[in-house]
Amino acid sequence: MIDMTNFLSFQIHGGADHDGGIVESVSSLLAFFENLSTQGPEKIFSSIMPGFAGMDNIHPLLVHFPIAFLSAFFALDLVGTLAKKPQWRSVASWFLYLGTIAALFTVMAGLMAASTVAHGQDVHDIMERHKYFGISVLSLATVLSIWRMMSGSLIRGGANGFFLILSALLYALMMLGADLGGLMVYQYGVAVKAAPVPEDSASHVHGHDNAKLENRESIDQVDKNANVEDHKHDHEHKHTH
């Protein structure tokens, strides 16, 4: 099976990592579709979306949608209120509704994932807090959605001020929950299948400045070790005499 990242990588790296550049990427794309036409229906989906097919649960896939929708809602509603733009606030309402629906499916997937992903007690405590933040976000988003729909029009006056305070609280809870989710993945590797790196392969560093810095540090370390050895030999020589 041909990895789709082969022909997408030129968009990320600018073709710097491939000798053929964009021509090689286009060739790889055509080869991918040719290979795809020879596969059975059961393998086509996993070939097109290997990341989705390799997931143990879809919570990591869904979690981006409520974050995007609810963040857009809060920003548009706040700016629309301050700038007196009712059209912006009307669009913000739809982001709120979509974010609430997305949060519902995300929380459901998260609850199922919590009972299937292997983890220790340290991660369990973080996972519990992450769960409570998710449920709080869903509950508050539901309340704000119902309030918005039942008002029949845009909320105004002091009521809208209180509504914006609750919206800010919603955004804060969502960010705190997202932070704990990132902590579980990047610090503890929950549900992550790390790819082994061959010992004989060189590290792939994106950014020449970082590579030069690491190379300079390696050279400095070698020089430091050499100076220590020279000092040791001189000391032993003097001690012998």
Side-chain angles (χ1 to χ4, degrees):
M1 182 180 68
I2 299 177
D3 188 358
M4 292 186 69
T5 57
N6 288 341
F7 60 83
L8 291 177
S9 57
F10 77 90
Q11 299 181 14
I12 302 174
H13 304 153
D17 292 346
H18 303 280
D19 296 334
I22 190 172
V23 176
E24 181 182 346
S25 299
V26 172
S27 177
S28 179
L29 172 62
L30 296 176
F32 169 77
F33 284 118
E34 181 180 359
N35 181 71
L36 193 66
S37 63
T38 63
Q39 296 180 2
E42 68 281 357
K43 292 185 179 180
I44 291 179
F45 178 76
S46 60
S47 297
I48 297 177
M49 302 188 68
F52 184 85
M55 287 183 176
D56 293 330
N57 60 81
I58 61 174
H59 178 69
L61 178 67
L62 298 177
V63 72
H64 303 286
F65 292 96
I67 293 177
F69 286 140
L70 294 178
S71 296
F73 149 70
F74 177 63
L76 272 178
D77 205 43
L78 178 61
V79 174
T81 298
L82 297 177
K84 301 184 187 310
K85 299 288 187 180
Q87 298 88 350
W88 294 8
R89 297 183 61 198
S90 297
V91 175
S93 298
W94 286 104
F95 280 120
L96 172 61
Y97 304 149
L98 291 173
T100 302
I101 296 173
L104 173 62
F105 288 104
T106 302
V107 169
M108 292 173 59
L111 293 176
M112 290 186 290
S115 60
T116 58
V117 175
H119 58 276
Q121 183 59 42
D122 52 348
V123 175
H124 181 76
D125 296 336
I126 300 175
M127 189 177 292
E128 285 296 303
R129 283 185 287 153
H130 178 70
K131 178 182 71 174
Y132 293 141
F133 277 125
I135 295 175
S136 299
V137 167
L138 174 60
S139 301
L140 186 53
T142 302
V143 170
L144 293 178
S145 296
I146 295 175
W147 186 0
R148 195 85 156 205
M149 287 186 293
M150 292 186 64
S151 64
S153 60
L154 296 178
I155 305 171
R156 304 180 186 279
N160 187 57
F162 183 62
F163 184 91
L164 288 175
I165 293 176
L166 293 180
S167 300
L169 176 61
L170 171 68
Y171 183 78
L173 292 174
M174 184 173 61
M175 290 299 101
L176 291 173
D179 178 73
L180 292 179
L183 177 65
M184 287 188 291
V185 172
Y186 295 109
Q187 184 68 31
Y188 295 95
V190 176
V192 173
K193 300 176 182 177
V197 179
E199 296 181 357
D200 59 344
S201 64
S203 299
H204 189 79
V205 180
H206 298 291
H208 301 291
D209 293 338
N210 291 336
K212 292 179 180 178
L213 178 60
E214 291 182 0
N215 186 48
R216 181 70 257 174
E217 291 177 348
S218 299
I219 295 175
D220 292 342
Q221 184 63 35
V222 171
D223 293 340
K224 181 179 179 181
N225 293 338
N227 292 334
V228 171
E229 289 296 327
D230 291 341
H231 179 75
K232 181 178 179 181
H233 289 320
D234 291 342
H235 179 75
E236 290 178 351
H237 181 71
K238 291 179 182 179
H239 182 71
T240 301
H241 284 292

